[in-house]
Amino acid sequence: MAKIKKLLVANRGEIALRIMRSAREMGIKTVAVYSDADRNALHVRFADEAVYIGQSPSVESYLRMEKITEAARKTQADAIHPGYGFLSENEDFARHVEESGFIFVGPSAQSIEVMGSKLAAKEAVSRFNVPLVPGTSEPITDLVSAKKIAREIGYPILIKASAGGGGKGMRIVDREEQFEEQMERAVSEATSAFGDGSVFIEKYVTQPRHIEFQIFGDQHGNVIHFFERECSIQRRHQKVIEEAPSSVLTSELRQSMGEAAINVAKSCGYYGAGTVEFILDENLNFYFLEMNTRLQVEHPVTEMITGIDLVKLQIQIAEGEPLPFKQEDLSIQGHAVEVRVYAEDPANNFLPDIGTLKTYNRPQGNGIRVDDGFEQGMSIPFYYDPMIAKLICHAETRELAIEKTIRAIDEYEITGLETTLGFCKYVLHHDAFRSGNFDTKFVEKFFKPESLSTSPLHAEELIASALSVVEYGKNTANHQEPVELKTISKWRKNRL
Ligand code: ADP
Ligand code: ADP
Ligand code: MG
């Protein structure tokens, strides 16, 4: 068993800080890496050492494997944590890290490879009695047979990129007439975003809820789960509000979904932290969607209800320790809600609204946690994901956790750019959310830009932010959904 003494975090922003904090509590030294845009970033200041790895676009810095291992060698780090996004789900990176003589704080390259392809993942789990969404198990090659399958499954169907992630490369098809066009779009989106145009068909589950299970495996074959997270409040197939536990799961359903999640992990010999995503239909049937082989953005809600530091556990597992508890040792304590604070304008189709944090004051108090990577006066770089912070609130019951989150949102002061805070408050007040009776269509069904009263911006600020969005679209190929230029020009017209 190799104790980690110095950890390099191959990431930036809130997640880099969050990982370093746990490492420091464990007596582990930390190394940051940074690009030009992040010279003054908080993760750089927090780390014991920091190494410059290149220019701002992530292909020039945070995605350069050799630069990262070179930085680890130079600082004599013994392990590398990839965080989320960037290289975290890249099997070549995991292999490169290990072949360079460092511990990779994550699963094996082989598990990442299997689960990185949605089709390979389905194939692997199908032998483990895990329910799958009806659909094709092979990439679509010819249109005629694909249409035939779609007809058998029944419309609406979803065309999905096998290599997809972050909500990209997905197209809903309501009628056969649209099939060809949507398929072409899905293939071209998948090719440009993931370099792999393989797409497949899934039944589109109407009224779907997104429920995922946090799992953990060790290198000795043990796997347990840390209950579920409800992540149905999404825009562009990406989450904005998450909570744990879910208000729809009975303890029986929790148990059977938990067992299925453990089987998914076992199907690929998984160790480390992972998330098994399911879709739940209106009759509470669940189906496996995919597995994310990394720490998830929303992991803090699980930490709040279990009292366990998941990053510390990741480090212990990477050191070769066995899981320190059994399934029956774990229980759910209270309820936690996370809202993601993005530099986006909900009144304008959630387009990024990059700028400077003129005012930035975090909420405080019992049961409130803010994970962020910025301070007042800092700018949100347009090269990366525009998430400013995650606000996580914990209380005894769902109702109290919601009330606490609303109070914290009211206390959160951010000026200089638009954020998702007002939108999140709107959701938290909404009857559908309150009743627990909602699905992934919440935004479509209940949210209109008029639902919010936005503060008018200055003309120069409008021009500056519109220009930065154009730049942002050019530079974010790998870490965020690229903003389509078509949408931008429409957006600029509306705003200017
Ligand atoms: P989670 O599933 O953890 O809630 P998201 O789906 O929002 O999170 O993705 C987490 C981060 O990883 C985001 O920064 C997102 O842009 C990025 N991401 C997710 N999948 C991919 C991918 N396949 N390629 C590039 N970036 C990705
Ligand atoms: P990604 O890798 O982009 O995260 P997922 O397969 O996890 O892709 O799907 C992302 C989101 O898209 C889900 O959370 C859900 O809201 C929606 N989705 C995916 N598959 C289906 C489906 N078959 N029916 C309905 N909604 C779906
Ligand atoms: Mg997903």
Side-chain angles (χ1 to χ4, degrees), residues 421-441:
L421 275 176
F423 164 76
C424 291
K425 185 175 164 181
Y426 171 82
V427 177
L428 296 175
H429 271 299
H430 201 282
D431 287 345
F433 183 79
R434 283 297 175 97
S435 69
N437 184 19
F438 58 94
D439 57 42
T440 60
K441 307 279 184 48

Side-chain angles (χ1 to χ4, degrees), residues 118 133 158 160 164-168 170 202-206 208 210 231 234 237 239 277 279 289-290 292 440:
K118 292 193 206 296
V133 189
L158 195 59
K160 256 186 178 181
K168 283 177 277 185
M170 233 182 279
E202 248 176 31
K203 167 95 193 134
Y204 185 72
V205 177
T206 45
H210 175 117
C231 310
Q234 308 182 344
H237 303 296
K239 307 152 188 168
E277 299 189 335
I279 202 151
L289 266 187
E290 63 159 349
N292 292 326
T440 60

Side-chain angles (χ1 to χ4, degrees), residues 85 165-166 194 238-239 292 294 296-298 340 385 478-479:
F194 312 111
Q238 273 191 320
K239 307 152 188 168
N292 292 326
R294 55 171 161 91
Q296 200 96 334
V297 175
E298 57 275 19
R340 297 195 194 184
D385 190 297
N478 222 299
H479 198 50

Side-chain angles (χ1 to χ4, degrees), residues 9-72:
V9 181
N11 216 296
R12 61 177 301 282
E14 66 89 17
I15 196 60
L17 274 164
R18 189 262 163 273
I19 294 164
M20 288 177 194
R21 289 199 163 103
S22 288
R24 183 162 293 171
E25 287 173 22
M26 296 170 85
I28 297 171
K29 294 270 181 239
T30 55
V31 182
V33 291
Y34 65 96
S35 67
D36 282 324
D38 282 335
R39 281 186 185 281
N40 298 314
L42 296 184
H43 77 281
V44 176
R45 286 194 231 156
F46 187 91
D48 295 304
E49 289 165 83
V51 182
Y52 172 75
I53 51 165
Q55 289 168 14
S56 304
S58 41
V59 283
E60 304 285 338
S61 47
Y62 297 106
L63 292 172
R64 287 178 70 181
M65 303 187 194
E66 286 80 16
K67 275 279 177 192
I68 289 164
T69 43
E70 193 187 305

Side-chain angles (χ1 to χ4, degrees), residues 126-142:
S126 63
R127 278 170 264 142
F128 280 75
N129 204 18
V130 176
L132 298 173
V133 189
T136 53
S137 53
E138 304 276 326
I140 303 174
T141 44
D142 86 290

